[in-house]
Amino acid sequence: MRKPKVDMGVFKERRDRLKELAPGCAFLLSSAEELHWMPYRQDSNFYYLTGFDEPGSIALIRPGMDPEYVLFVQPKDPAMEIWDGYRYGQQGVVSEFGADKGILYSEFDKEAVEMLIDVDKLYFSLGNNAEMDRKVYALLDKTMRARGRTGKTRLPIHDPNDILGEMRVIKSLYEQDCMRESCRLSAQAHIEAMKFTKPGVTERQVLGVLMHRFFQENALREGYHSIVASGANACTLHYRFNDDTCKDGDVLLIDAGAEKNYYTADITRTFPINGKFSGPQKEIYDAVLKAQKEVISALKVGMAYFDMQKVAVKSLTESLVSLGLLRGDVNELIETHKYRKYYPHNIGHFLGMDVHDVGLYAKANEGRPLEAGMAFTVEPGLYVPVDDTEAPEEFRGIGVRIEDDILLTASGPEIMTKDVPKERDEVEAICNS
Ligand code: GLY
Ligand code: MN
Ligand code: MN
């Protein structure tokens, strides 16, 4: 028999919080769809509240009601389990996952109606799965009829992220430890990739070094499709081919992070393939590192989220002018967004169960203030297109991004990915070791 690998108290605590955050409401969460031959990953909100990672399941959670936590699951079926592996079944989800009731998935349409009659609001994520959407529309019709002429009409549907997104944006102590672990092991993988890389190896082989370390450390999977981009490939922000040869004199940009315990890291480092940055590479690298350090040193509880980008844009635009990549007045270049030619993305994003994690960046059109317990990336970059005839020739084809994962605490930022060096001389020393 399989056993859950995480203490179920973690998930119960989260469900218990819903009693205060969403009384009278029900959460209906559908498991992620299964794509055969691909590794299965549970839907993040589903996992966040249940810890249950089987496909073909539905969770119905009614905070404070009885039964409060129901899992609709696939039946125990020895014939099917020979093909697809162990299933917990109706009894298993009660004994191992703390569900109040386990019901067969095939009974959902019939059994769920009664459980929604006294609910005021339904949290359900429309648009992820057409079959599930149809089930829910039919369920709402049946529930409305079952309610009779009580003045209660159709149940309104709300986005679960209104509640769960805001819960997930502040990481608990358990989550902070999970994230530190993903960051630690991903940092090791980056260091090994730096040591391995030399002229003539392929991006694919470097990817293999990263994956080897990820899985040696019992990661569940890559947190996202890794980017191993040599030379001008680094100027493609979501470069995904990873099949070129690393050339002497170029830099290699690696953006990769492992997911462990359902939490992912997201690290980028850029380093010289032959172990020594060229003059122009140094200048671009230093500009990006300076911007990144300026953002990180400005971080504190209460800072507006969007101010991180403002700090980065100011620093990078000043550097672009002093490098001769842009000409003109810095403030005007910022106002007219001219910097976007070389810095086309944002400073970062929330990080957690998903690499671009849930949570609002703005409330009422104001950048939200940063809070203790938030985890996010700080990832400025500069990318000079190889065919940019306006750029000084020596910079063309250079792409640099430096990305760290931050946990904001009451006393300031904790850089969870600090184990991978980013000072130029330290990076070169590792590349040459
Ligand atoms: N690796 C995706 C990102 O940095 O946003
Ligand atoms: Mn990122
Ligand atoms: Mn990244």
Side-chain angles (χ1 to χ4, degrees), residues 268 290 336 378 383:
T268 307
K290 177 168 176 284
T336 52
V378 175
Y383 317 87

Side-chain angles (χ1 to χ4, degrees), residues 224 255 266 349 356 379 403:
Y224 52 92
D255 183 345
D266 181 8
H349 47 84
H356 289 188
E379 49 176 309
E403 174 173 32

Side-chain angles (χ1 to χ4, degrees), residues 224-227 237-238 255-257 265-268 348-349 355-356 377 379 401 403:
Y224 52 92
H225 188 57
S226 302
I227 298 169
L237 298 178
H238 288 163
D255 183 345
D266 181 8
I267 305 178
T268 307
H349 47 84
V355 63
H356 289 188
T377 66
E379 49 176 309
R401 178 164 65 254
E403 174 173 32

